[in-house]
Structures are given as structure tokens and as C-alpha cells.
Amino acid sequence: MREFRFQPPPLAPTPELRWVLRRAFGPPGDDGAPGEPTAAVDLALKLDLAARIATRTPPERLGRDVGLDGARRLGLAQLGARARSRRAALARAEILRAASAPEIPLVWLKHSALAVAGLIVEGARDTSDVDVLVPPERAASLQERLVAQGFTP
């Protein structure tokens, strides 16, 4: 058996970790104390699950679980993710416009694929870029058109 190249750090199953994972991936009505609320919020932010938790959990429930400041921090993460998702949607529209003119086939990847397919709620997942796949022989043409529209290579 090949050795796994990445060695994740040991992670103890603390009450904070259990709360983060339940709120991010568990059933909506799942009850459970977060342990130390500030540590739970810090962990949610560190694991990039804060926006997902804020999207899936009503604000009043977050307030009960992690206090008003914790709920505010999770909500701000969600607002930031929503803004970046909207920025990515605008970039996708520009890319699609550039690809449509010369009829360059493209396939959205990762966050963009999930968003275009309607499989994610805006603001539930963070994004920092738009990934697209085009035929190698058409990539230069698409890049030229995007640069002409103001994109930076």
C-alpha cells in the first residue's frame, strides 16, 4: 500500500469539533452543545465551515449555541462568501460572453460547476476564483478575449 503523501495533523474529537461538524453536515434539528462557544466559532472559521454553518442554521439558534458575538462572526463569514460568490458569478458571465463570440466550448469546474448546476446555496461555500476547462487549442483565443475585456492573465 502506498503511503499517503499528506499527513494531516491529529485532531481530537472535542465538543467544539463535534458541534462544527454537526452544524456543517448533520441533520438540521441536531441538538448539541458547542463546548466552549468562542473556540467552536474559531474552529469553524479555521476549517472554512463558518459560512456553511451560518447558511444552514437559523440566526436565533446560532445565538443560543455560540452567543451573539459568535453568531455575528459566523454571519459575517457567510456575507463574505456570498459576496465572493456573486463576484464569481459576474466573472462567469464575462467568461461566457468571451467564449460565446468565437464559440469556444467550456466546462465549469469546482465551485462554478456546483453554482451553475444549482447545487449550492449562494454564500454557503466560499470561493476565490473561477475554474474553467476549454480545449487546449482554444485556450489562447479565450485568454486574449478575456484580457481585452480587462481580465489579467
Side-chain angles (χ1 to χ4, degrees):
M1 184 168 116
R2 286 183 39 190
E3 186 175 324
F4 190 54
R5 293 183 324 156
F6 173 67
Q7 295 300 317
L11 197 55
T14 64
E16 294 81 13
L17 177 60
R18 284 193 287 278
W19 180 86
V20 166
L21 294 177
R22 278 196 309 270
R23 286 289 171 266
F25 303 108
D30 187 9
D31 287 321
E36 206 293 299
T38 301
V41 171
D42 289 344
L43 185 58
L45 291 163
K46 184 176 184 178
L47 296 175
D48 199 19
L49 294 173
R52 181 180 178 91
I53 291 169
T55 299
R56 298 181 79 232
T57 311
E60 61 277 359
R61 177 63 186 269
L62 284 177
R64 284 194 311 269
D65 282 1
V66 295
L68 293 178
D69 186 59
R72 180 189 60 79
R73 291 174 66 205
L74 295 170
L76 287 173
Q78 179 192 25
L79 286 174
R82 184 178 293 155
R84 287 181 289 278
S85 181
R86 287 184 181 171
R87 184 179 64 198
L90 292 172
R92 283 193 305 273
E94 293 297 319
I95 293 167
L96 196 55
R97 186 177 5 262
S100 295
E103 298 182 13
I104 298 173
L106 60 81
V107 175
W108 303 114
L109 302 173
K110 300 177 352 185
H111 183 276
S112 291
L114 295 171
V116 168
L119 297 174
I120 56 175
V121 175
E122 186 180 83
R125 294 174 64 119
D126 211 347
T127 186
S128 60
D129 59 8
V130 174
D131 296 295
V132 62
L133 184 65
V134 298
E137 65 276 6
R138 305 300 296 275
S141 173
L142 180 60
Q143 182 172 345
E144 287 171 14
R145 289 179 174 273
L146 290 172
V147 168
Q149 287 179 217
F151 281 73
T152 303

